[in-house]
Amino acid sequence: MSRIGKKPIEIPDDVEIEIKEQKIRIKGPKGEISREILPEIKIVQEGKKILLSPKNKTKRAKAFWGLSRALLANLVKGVKTGFEKKLEIKGVGYQAKMEGNDLVLHLGFSHPIKIRAPEGIKLSVEKNIISVSGIDKELVGQTAAKIRKIRPPEPYKGKGIRYLGEEVRKKVGKKATATTK
């Protein structure tokens, strides 16, 4: 039995939920989002709570029970408060700026890199901190990972793009030894 799957999802007052068979649509103050749930999972709304349970006792249904509950809980939280990831740029001459809806990165390559924000994602830059925000946790994380992948932090000087607060273990590198003759 899934401990996470058993927990009911609390629905806040300003969030509306519409369930049609396996498709669930959630509308809140930040926006509207919908998701298709696997046919092995049964969704029931009881007042201000959503309960999920497996339709049959197969291994696949049990495996996706907790996952489905976590995904729906993230959708409810996303339309209520939203999600945000922050990335930090470190390195001499490395910079980021916004040009309309495009994020332009200067990261030591011979050309600037332009990134267009996906539908439902808002990008913003303040100093050398890039903020990726939106109502879909999965899309926010994926977009932040794509930006980080362009120039991940290198282990010798720590230059590159990292998550805010991420610790990068540095390597010692070569040590110059004085030769005596």
Side-chain angles (χ1 to χ4, degrees):
M1 297 299 270
S2 172
R3 282 184 273 180
I4 294 172
K6 286 183 197 174
K7 285 183 177 178
I9 301 169
E10 299 288 330
I11 304 169
D13 292 330
D14 52 352
V15 175
E16 297 173 24
I17 298 211
E18 184 182 312
I19 301 170
K20 287 186 181 174
E21 296 170 21
Q22 293 306 107
K23 191 162 179 106
I24 187 162
R25 207 177 105 248
I26 303 171
K27 188 176 183 181
K30 291 274 185 175
E32 183 178 324
I33 193 165
S34 63
R35 184 168 205 118
E36 186 93 21
I37 299 298
L38 292 172
E40 290 93 349
I41 307 298
K42 184 171 84 174
I43 310 166
V44 178
Q45 184 177 358
E46 292 180 0
K48 284 288 184 183
K49 293 182 180 178
I50 298 175
L51 299 169
L52 279 85
S53 61
K55 286 184 179 174
N56 48 25
K57 301 292 181 196
T58 63
K59 193 172 185 178
R60 178 178 161 87
K62 288 179 184 178
F64 285 106
W65 182 17
L67 172 72
S68 300
R69 190 257 176 218
L71 291 173
L72 285 181
N74 283 337
L75 294 179
V76 171
K77 184 180 176 190
V79 297
K80 174 76 174 153
T81 58
F83 293 100
E84 182 177 45
K85 288 224 181 230
K86 291 184 181 259
L87 298 159
E88 180 180 21
I89 299 175
K90 287 212 173 179
V92 177
Y94 289 9
Q95 64 178 349
K97 61 183 176 184
M98 294 298 295
E99 285 183 3
N101 288 338
D102 295 346
L103 174 68
V104 180
L105 299 168
H106 297 276
L107 300 171
F109 296 120
S110 63
H111 58 285
I113 297 155
K114 282 190 176 184
I115 299 170
R116 176 151 292 165
E119 187 75 31
I121 296 293
K122 184 178 176 281
L123 298 173
S124 62
V125 176
E126 190 174 308
K127 295 190 180 178
N128 270 353
I129 298 191
I130 303 166
S131 294
V132 182
S133 58
I135 61 172
D136 188 357
K137 185 175 186 177
E138 191 176 343
L139 192 58
V140 168
Q142 185 65 41
T143 305
K146 280 183 184 176
I147 293 170
R148 184 184 183 276
K149 189 178 178 184
I150 294 168
R151 180 72 95 171
E154 54 101 6
Y156 296 102
K157 292 184 179 179
K159 300 187 320 182
I161 302 175
R162 63 179 81 183
Y163 294 109
L164 194 62
E166 179 184 0
E167 290 290 321
V168 177
R169 288 180 48 195
K170 292 186 180 175
K171 293 183 179 178
V172 178
K174 291 183 182 177
K175 292 201 175 194
T177 57
T179 56
T180 56
K181 289 189 181 185

